[in-house]
């Protein structure tokens, strides 16, 4: 009896210790979220000092400050770097949370926002609006990207069938992804303007260079709402990640909830793709790192992945600005160089665990 009480007490103490450790780590991520924009904005082909950055920001926020900077510095900070950092935070959060949700839905730790063809469909819709319709407005591009992502999702669900297994969803997603990628390449090849084709190709590799103030409110709102919804749906994700039988035993309709969440993920990823193009591996690598950092509870995994993915993408954008300055390297190239070795490590870990 005494041993049972002691073991129970040790379990409670261990849980409290893990909870405190998790909360401290979340606070660290929040502090980094505050410091990262100020630090990363310094990097670029043009040198900008931190006092000038603070001064420009306060000036545009309506504070009365002495202007010691040039109009060129003002434009670099406020019209170029601040919008792309805010966009990076929002896009990173969307991709990170989408990765967590998809990994729970398909019960595959190697799933990410692009595995189900969602990103390929969004890219096709956006490329169609840019190349065929000649649209440059973010709302038009975003609407077409959402339409493409939604069509891709519906195709995946139709091919996989009702009550589909995670493996069937992944195979259907791969088929849809390859198909939409082929259509996008055909659109680029058939374009009569080399400049437009080059711009679309650069955008497909991922870039925050197109970020502008008018598109930021929608992007930030989607990121915040998407993260909040999935945070509160954490227990449902826990159940789905444990298997359909477990989910149904606690009152969760696995097939219906999988469809609803796939549509939500599709809409959110479409907005991110319309803003930044195709950026891979963020939704794959970051959630795995955060699992070992925060734990396996999806409620806190969603929050931690949103924060960490935002930080990760902002720093990848900073590297993209300075790696080959004054030329800019696509972010997708950097995340691919980092993500591919990490993917090999994850596959080896899975092999050892099986």
């Amino acid at each position: 009896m005494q041993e049972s009480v002691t073991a129970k007490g040790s379990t409670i103490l261990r849980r409290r210790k893990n909870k405190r450790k998790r909360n401290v780590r979340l606070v660290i991520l929040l502090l980094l979220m505050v410091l990262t924009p100020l630090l990363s904005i310094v990097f670029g082909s043009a040198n900008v000092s931190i006092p000038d950055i603070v001064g420009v920001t306060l000036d545009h926020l309506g504070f009365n400050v002495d202007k010691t900077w040039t109009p060129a510095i003002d434009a670099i900070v406020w019209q170029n770097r601040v919008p792309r950092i805010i966009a990076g935070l929002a896009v990173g959060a969307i991709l990170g949370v989408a990765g967590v949700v998809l990994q729970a839905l398909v019960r595959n730790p190697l799933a990410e926002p692009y595995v189900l063809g969602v990103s390929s469909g969004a890219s096709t819709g956006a490329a169609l609006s840019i190349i065929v319709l000649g649209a440059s407005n973010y709302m038009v591009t975003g609407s077409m990207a959402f339409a493409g992502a939604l069509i891709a999702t519906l195709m995946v669900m139709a091919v996989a069938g009702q009550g589909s297994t995670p493996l069937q969803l992944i195979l259907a997603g791969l088929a849809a992804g390859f198909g939409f990628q082929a259509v996008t390449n055909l659109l680029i090849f058939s374009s009569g303007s080399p400049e437009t084709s080059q711009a679309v190709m650069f955008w497909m590799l991922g870039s925050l260079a197109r970020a502008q103030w008018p598109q930021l409110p929608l992007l930030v709102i989607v990121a915040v709402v998407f993260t909040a919804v999935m945070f509160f749906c954490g227990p449902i994700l826990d159940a789905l990640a444990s298997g359909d039988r477990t989910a149904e035993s606690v009152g969760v309709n696995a097939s219906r909830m999988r469809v609803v969440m796939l549509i939500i993920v599709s809409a959110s990823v479409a907005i991110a793709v319309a803003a930044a193009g195709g950026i891979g591996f963020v939704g794959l690598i970051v959630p795995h790192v955060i699992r070992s950092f925060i734990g396996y509870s999806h409620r806190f995994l969603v929050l931690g992945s949103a924060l960490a993915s935002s930080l990760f993408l902002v720093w990848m954008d900073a590297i993209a600005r300075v790696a080959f300055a004054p030329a800019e390297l696509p972010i997708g190239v950097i995340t691919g160089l980092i993500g591919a070795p990490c993917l090999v490590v994850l596959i080896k870990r899975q092999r050892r665990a099986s």
Side-chain angles (χ1 to χ4, degrees):
M1 182 67 179
Q2 182 67 28
E3 292 180 358
S4 176
V5 173
T6 303
K8 186 176 180 180
S10 299
T11 302
I12 293 174
L13 289 175
R14 186 167 60 252
R15 287 179 179 175
R16 288 178 179 176
K17 183 179 179 180
N18 291 336
K19 185 177 180 180
R20 284 196 300 268
K21 188 183 297 184
R22 181 192 66 205
N23 292 339
V24 169
R25 290 173 175 176
L26 285 174
V27 170
I28 291 173
L29 288 174
L30 285 171
L31 291 175
L32 290 175
M33 280 284 290
V34 176
L35 296 175
T36 289
L38 181 61
L39 295 175
S40 64
I41 202 173
V42 175
F43 296 96
S45 56
N47 294 325
V48 182
S49 65
I50 291 181
D52 284 346
I53 293 170
V54 175
V56 170
T57 304
L58 292 176
D59 180 58
H60 282 277
L61 292 178
F63 292 92
N64 187 17
V65 294
D66 294 330
K67 295 185 178 181
T68 59
W69 56 88
T70 64
I73 295 296
D74 187 278
I76 290 171
V77 172
W78 193 250
Q79 298 300 328
N80 181 272
R81 295 187 188 175
V82 172
R84 68 190 296 163
I85 286 173
I86 296 175
L89 293 172
V91 170
I94 291 172
L95 295 179
V97 174
V100 171
V101 175
L102 287 178
Q103 288 167 16
L105 293 182
V106 303
R107 300 199 304 276
N108 189 328
L110 301 181
E112 61 143 347
Y114 300 87
V115 75
L116 297 181
V118 177
S119 175
S120 298
S123 295
T124 301
L128 185 66
S129 70
I130 295 171
I131 295 175
V132 178
L133 303 181
S136 58
N137 184 276
Y138 173 71
M139 294 301 295
V140 176
T141 305
S143 299
M144 291 294 290
F146 172 67
L150 187 59
I151 291 172
T153 303
L154 293 175
M155 285 180 59
V156 169
M157 291 187 295
V159 171
Q162 189 174 6
S164 55
T165 64
L167 178 60
Q168 290 171 331
L169 279 173
I170 290 176
L171 293 176
L174 288 174
F178 284 127
F180 278 103
Q181 186 63 50
V183 173
T184 303
N185 292 335
L186 179 62
L187 288 171
I188 295 173
F189 181 78
S190 62
S191 172
S193 171
E195 292 80 9
T196 301
S197 299
Q198 186 177 3
V200 173
M201 283 297 296
F202 184 82
W203 170 77
M204 286 179 62
L205 292 173
S207 173
L208 296 173
R210 298 170 64 249
Q212 297 176 352
W213 283 107
Q215 65 184 237
L216 294 182
L218 175 62
L219 193 59
V220 172
I221 289 172
V222 170
V224 172
V225 172
F226 181 47
T227 302
V229 169
M230 293 306 157
F231 174 81
F232 288 110
C233 289
I236 297 176
L237 293 174
D238 288 335
L240 290 172
S242 300
D244 290 2
R245 290 185 178 179
T246 302
E248 290 172 2
S249 68
V250 295
V252 176
N253 188 318
S255 298
R256 184 181 302 172
M257 189 57 62
R258 189 175 288 118
V259 170
V260 171
M261 288 196 172
L262 280 175
I263 292 175
I264 295 174
V265 169
S266 300
S268 302
V269 171
I271 298 299
V273 169
I279 302 175
F281 288 107
V282 177
L284 173 65
I285 302 303
V286 176
H288 279 281
V289 175
I290 294 302
R291 274 191 188 90
S292 60
F293 193 65
I294 297 295
Y296 287 84
S297 171
H298 278 83
R299 176 164 285 180
F300 296 100
L301 184 57
V302 163
L303 182 58
S305 295
L307 296 173
S309 298
S310 297
L311 297 171
F312 177 75
L313 196 57
V314 167
W315 282 113
M316 292 304 99
D317 180 56
I319 295 173
R321 294 200 301 268
V322 301
F324 293 94
E328 183 173 322
L329 187 68
I331 302 178
V333 174
I334 302 174
T335 58
L337 290 173
I338 296 174
C342 293
L343 181 59
V344 172
V345 172
L346 291 174
I347 293 174
K348 287 186 175 181
R349 284 183 179 178
Q350 276 198 317
R351 186 184 301 170
R352 293 194 196 102
S354 59

